[in-house]
Amino acid sequence: QDLNFKVHIPTKKMGTFSLFGLYGHNWFRNEYKTYINSSNLVAGIKHGLIIGERSYVQSALAFTRQRTDIDRAWDEVLKLHRERPRDRSDALRLSSVLNTKFSSSFTLKSGFIASLLGENVVNADSSIDMENYGQVLQLYTQGKYRMTRRLTSVFGLHYHLYGFTNARMVEPRLSFTYDLNEKHQISLGA
């Protein structure tokens, strides 16, 4: 069973809003008479706003949930059925990007993605009941420069902060693309 929707709400001065959602549900029994029930949900709101003649900002807030319930799972190693494992993963994400075209050859985009993540795993027969929650923050900036008619460079920085472990990472980005003709190109990236 599936359900989806997308509703656009344009305004005169505040940009365009979109509401979106998707739900999918599936269940079946396999050859071991194991009943598997699985569902996925995505819902959110998106906003786009043109700023002047050269810039626009696009933002989104979305919630996702994936859930799987298994009535009886066959354990090939122990040769027995394990009872009622359950897994649920949730995420709430807020993202925003500002895109500015400085000239016909140079565009810069900068933004962030902030995520709250959670997971719950329960397996009744082995007493596993685990919950993990954490945050991930990503900041990025990326420039695209058309050096010649055929040669384009993309460069930038991407910063990650993992709230689970408080680990931080900075990743530089650099790539070059050379258009051989309309159908073929060569790319090099690091």
Side-chain angles (χ1 to χ4, degrees):
Q1 294 176 345
D2 295 325
L3 169 71
N4 66 66
F5 68 90
K6 187 169 186 179
V7 178
H8 290 282
I9 306 167
T11 67
K12 290 184 179 181
K13 294 184 179 181
M14 295 175 45
T16 301
F17 294 86
S18 299
L19 301 173
F20 60 90
L22 171 69
Y23 176 76
H25 188 219
N26 190 16
W27 59 92
F28 62 93
R29 282 195 186 272
N30 66 15
E31 67 271 16
Y32 299 111
K33 298 181 181 176
T34 301
Y35 179 76
I36 300 172
N37 184 14
S38 178
S39 63
N40 294 299
L41 168 72
V42 178
I45 185 168
K46 188 175 174 182
H47 176 249
L49 178 65
I50 296 173
I51 303 171
E53 295 180 9
R54 298 181 179 212
S55 298
Y56 68 87
V57 65
Q58 194 150 30
S59 303
L61 176 65
F63 173 77
T64 62
R65 170 170 283 174
Q66 296 174 315
R67 181 177 177 145
T68 303
D69 296 313
I70 302 175
D71 238 0
R72 294 172 15 148
W74 180 254
D75 189 319
E76 191 61 40
V77 175
L78 298 176
K79 302 293 186 197
L80 58 81
H81 281 95
R82 299 167 69 81
E83 301 298 321
R84 299 202 55 81
R86 183 182 75 230
D87 180 27
R88 186 188 78 220
S89 299
D90 296 332
L92 180 64
R93 290 188 174 87
L94 175 64
S95 64
S96 190
V97 61
L98 173 65
N99 193 327
T100 303
K101 186 172 186 175
F102 288 97
S103 70
S104 61
S105 60
F106 180 62
T107 303
L108 182 69
K109 74 165 95 169
S110 300
F112 72 89
I113 304 169
S115 304
L116 297 173
L117 307 173
E119 183 173 32
N120 177 267
V121 178
V122 175
N123 192 341
D125 65 337
S126 61
S127 301
I128 296 173
D129 190 352
M130 178 179 71
E131 287 191 69
N132 290 318
Y133 295 95
Q135 310 83 29
V136 177
L137 176 64
Q138 301 174 64
L139 306 171
Y140 61 91
T141 188
Q142 174 180 301
K144 183 175 182 181
Y145 180 61
R146 182 171 290 282
M147 302 167 86
T148 68
R149 188 174 64 84
R150 293 184 172 210
L151 182 63
T152 303
S153 173
V154 176
F155 51 91
L157 284 174
H158 197 133
Y159 171 79
H160 295 263
L161 170 62
Y162 295 96
F164 296 103
T165 61
N166 209 26
R168 299 160 201 266
M169 183 172 29
V170 177
E171 299 175 337
R173 307 281 170 98
L174 179 62
S175 71
F176 295 93
T177 301
Y178 184 77
D179 296 326
L180 297 171
N181 55 42
E182 290 182 15
K183 293 183 179 181
H184 299 93
Q185 56 186 211
I186 298 173
S187 295
L188 175 67

